Amino acid sequence: MLADKHIVLGVTGGISVYKMCTAVRLLKKAGAQVRVLMTRAATEFVTPLTFSTLSQEEVTVSLWPADPHGSTDRGVKHIDLGLWADAMLVAPATANTIAHLAHGAAEDVITSTVLALRAPLVIAPAMDVDMWEHPATQANIALLKERGHFIIPPESGELASGLTGAGRLPEPDVIVAYLNDVLERTPRDLTGRRILITAGPTHEPIDPVRFIGNRSSGKMGFALANAAALRGADVTLVAGPVALGTPKNVRRIDVETAQQMHDAVMDELPRHTVLIMAAAVADYTPVQVAEHKIKKLGSHAHGISLELRTTLDILHDVAERKTEQTVIGFALETANELEHAKQKLEKKKLDLIVLNSPNDPGAGFGTDTNVVTLITREGNVTKLPRMPKFDVACAILDRLR
Ligand code: CTP
C-alpha cells in the first residue's frame, strides 16, 4: 500500500525520536515519499539533517520562511502538505502535542498541518506511564479517536525514566505496518457517493424531564460515518442523543425523537445515493407529553400507566419513496435471529441487512467491537468475526463498491 504514497511524518520531542529514523528508512524502502516535520523539541534529540538525509527531502521545523525577504516561500507549507498527504503520522506524539491536537491548537508546523489535513491521521503516543495514564491525556486520546483519528497504542515495558508501564513507542516496523493497514482500510473508493447515516437511540419525551430511551450508544453509526468520510464519501449523519464527538468531514444533524429522525431522513434522502439506518429508533412513544413534570402521588406501591403509540417506521416510509438509493438496515434480534432479519429485509425492501445480536460476546450496546452477519437481498449470508466497530463499518461499506 505504501508504494508511491505521500506520507507526512510529524516528529515531536521524546527520547524515542531515534526510532523514527528507522521508520523513515522502512517507508522509503516500501516506495513511499516522506516529508518530515519536526518540533523544536524533537530537534534536541535528533537533528533535521538526519531526517533530511533519510527522507531525501527538506525537513520543516518552522512555519516561517527562512528568508522572509525575497523568498519564494509563500509561508503556507502546512496547507500544501495537508493537501499533499495520503496519510499523516505523528510519532512519537508527546502528551503536549496530543493535548494541542485534541483542542485544535495550531502552534507549530505539525499541529497546523493536522488542521489542514484531508487524509487519515495516525498518532503514536509515547511518554512516561503517569503522563500516559493521566485522565487529561486519556480524555484527549478519547476525543481524537471520536474525531476519527487512529491511535497506535503505546507498548508496556521499561521506560526512559526507569519506571515500568505503558508509554513506549512501538518498534518502527510495527508503526509502519499500522500505517500500511490504515491506508489499506481507507481507499478513496467512495468518492462522489453521498451517504446518509443514522445513529444512536431516540428519546421519546414523557414530560419536560423524563423520556423513554434505549441503550444504543451510537458507536456503530458513528464508525460508519467516520469510515465513509475517510473513504471519500460526502456523509450526512443524523444522530440521536449520544455523547460522541463528530468525526472529521461529517455533516451532522442532531435529533431527539423518532418523529424528528423520520423528518430529517425524509428531508435528506433525495440528496443522497445511500441510506444506512444504524439508529435504534424507538418503536413506541407516549401518546401525551405532560406539559409539566409529573408529580409523584402516594409514597408506596402507587401505580401509574403510560399510554403509548407506535412511531412511524422510517425504513417503511423510505421504501415507498426511494428512487435509486441503496438502503441498508440493521436488525437487533435475540431469538430466531436469521429468520427475523430476513423477514425485515423483505418487509422494509432493503438491499442489505446487518444482523447483530446483543447476546454475542463482544457485541451489543456501548462496546467498541461488534459481531454481525450481513444478509443481502439475493440471500447471501456472511457472518463476520468479532471486530472493532470501525472494521465492521469498513466491511459494510465494502458492499457499496
Ligand atoms: N427502524 C426504522 N424506524 C423505526 C424502527 C426501526 O427505520 N420506527 C429501522 C432501524 O433503524 C433498523 C431497522 O428498522 O435499521 C430494524 O430495526 P429493529 O428495531 O431491529 O426492528 P423493528 O422494525 O423495530 O422490529 P422489532 O423491534 O419488532 O424487532
Side-chain angles (χ1 to χ4, degrees):
M1 280 307 295
L2 285 160
D4 299 322
K5 285 287 184 308
H6 296 175
I7 307 298
V8 174
L9 168 63
V11 183
T12 75
I15 182 65
S16 53
V17 168
Y18 73 92
K19 290 189 183 175
M20 297 317 294
C21 301
T22 310
V24 171
R25 285 199 58 208
L26 293 175
L27 289 169
K28 292 293 291 178
K29 255 175 115 171
Q33 289 183 47
V34 187
R35 299 277 177 82
V36 180
L37 316 177
M38 299 178 80
T39 58
R40 295 249 175 249
T43 64
E44 298 285 336
F45 294 91
V46 173
T47 64
L49 180 63
T50 310
F51 280 111
S52 63
T53 307
L54 291 168
S55 66
Q56 295 159 325
E57 299 279 355
E58 191 186 314
V59 169
T60 309
V61 180
S62 168
L63 277 171
W64 310 109
D67 173 13
H69 311 287
S71 151
T72 53
D73 188 337
R74 295 175 300 136
V76 288
K77 233 177 239 159
H78 53 305
I79 310 293
D80 293 343
L81 285 170
L83 295 173
W84 177 82
D86 290 314
M88 180 165 174
L89 168 66
V90 181
T94 59
N96 185 46
T97 291
I98 286 167
H100 283 122
L101 291 177
H103 298 284
E107 54 133 35
D108 56 32
V109 69
I110 295 174
T111 48
S112 303
T113 304
V114 165
L115 286 182
L117 183 71
R118 296 198 178 172
L121 172 66
V122 179
I123 299 166
M127 64 201 76
D128 213 78
V129 58
D130 294 293
M131 295 173 80
W132 171 246
E133 288 177 354
H134 195 287
T137 304
Q138 289 302 313
N140 289 334
I141 290 286
L143 205 58
L144 290 165
K145 278 188 188 167
E146 279 178 14
R147 220 168 273 151
H149 304 314
F150 298 88
I151 309 291
I152 309 183
E155 290 180 349
S156 286
E158 200 182 319
L159 302 165
S161 61
L163 296 174
T164 303
R168 269 165 61 136
L169 187 72
E171 292 308 310
D173 57 329
V174 174
I175 293 174
V176 171
Y178 193 102
L179 183 65
N180 187 66
D181 191 46
V182 167
L183 284 167
E184 219 160 63
R185 289 188 294 166
T186 54
R188 304 286 293 177
D189 57 350
L190 298 178
T191 303
R193 307 294 286 271
R194 293 186 305 280
I195 306 185
L196 178 60
I197 298 170
T198 66
T202 63
H203 284 177
E204 307 303 319
I206 297 169
D207 68 16
V209 294
R210 304 181 179 95
F211 59 84
I212 300 174
N214 62 64
R215 293 180 192 277
S216 169
S217 65
K219 284 183 176 175
M220 192 61 241
F222 274 63
L224 276 159
N226 181 33
L230 282 168
R231 287 168 69 161
D234 276 341
V235 182
T236 305
L237 176 63
V238 177
V242 293
L244 294 173
T246 313
K248 202 172 162 233
N249 293 329
V250 168
R251 176 175 158 249
R252 174 173 179 165
I253 301 171
D254 283 308
V255 297
E256 196 178 327
T257 64
Q259 180 71 51
Q260 288 168 359
M261 188 171 278
H262 174 275
D263 295 349
V265 169
M266 292 308 154
D267 195 32
E268 292 293 332
L269 187 67
R271 285 192 281 280
H272 292 82
T273 52
V274 178
L275 168 66
I276 308 180
M277 279 291 301
V281 189
D283 288 332
Y284 293 95
T285 191
V287 171
Q288 298 241 316
V289 182
E291 194 185 337
H292 297 290
K293 186 183 168 200
I294 299 170
K295 301 303 280 181
K296 181 169 66 181
L297 294 174
S299 57
H300 178 65
H302 183 85
I304 180 170
S305 302
L306 272 179
E307 196 187 342
L308 304 176
R309 62 173 169 77
T310 50
T311 56
L312 291 170
D313 192 297
I314 301 172
L315 280 178
H316 176 271
D317 285 7
V318 165
E320 312 261 285
R321 291 197 213 175
K322 70 177 173 180
T323 46
E324 73 263 274
Q325 285 91 352
T326 302
V327 181
I328 300 179
F330 274 68
L332 185 73
E333 307 291 347
T334 56
N336 294 335
E337 288 110 330
L338 217 50
E339 195 187 315
H340 283 148
K342 281 180 179 168
Q343 283 166 2
K344 272 181 197 165
L345 177 110
E346 281 301 321
K347 210 168 78 188
K348 303 195 184 204
K349 299 200 176 79
L350 304 175
D351 297 289
L352 179 81
I353 196 155
V354 182
L355 163 65
N356 47 158
S357 136
N359 299 335
D360 280 326
F365 303 112
T367 55
D368 288 322
T369 56
N370 209 354
V371 187
V372 305
T373 302
L374 306 184
I375 307 159
T376 65
R377 170 155 277 295
E378 298 73 37
N380 298 326
V381 177
T382 314
K383 182 163 174 131
L384 301 175
R386 184 167 74 94
M387 303 196 287
K389 283 184 173 163
F390 184 83
D391 292 352
V392 174
C394 288
I396 295 168
L397 296 173
D398 284 349
R399 301 300 180 104
L400 297 175
R401 284 197 289 216

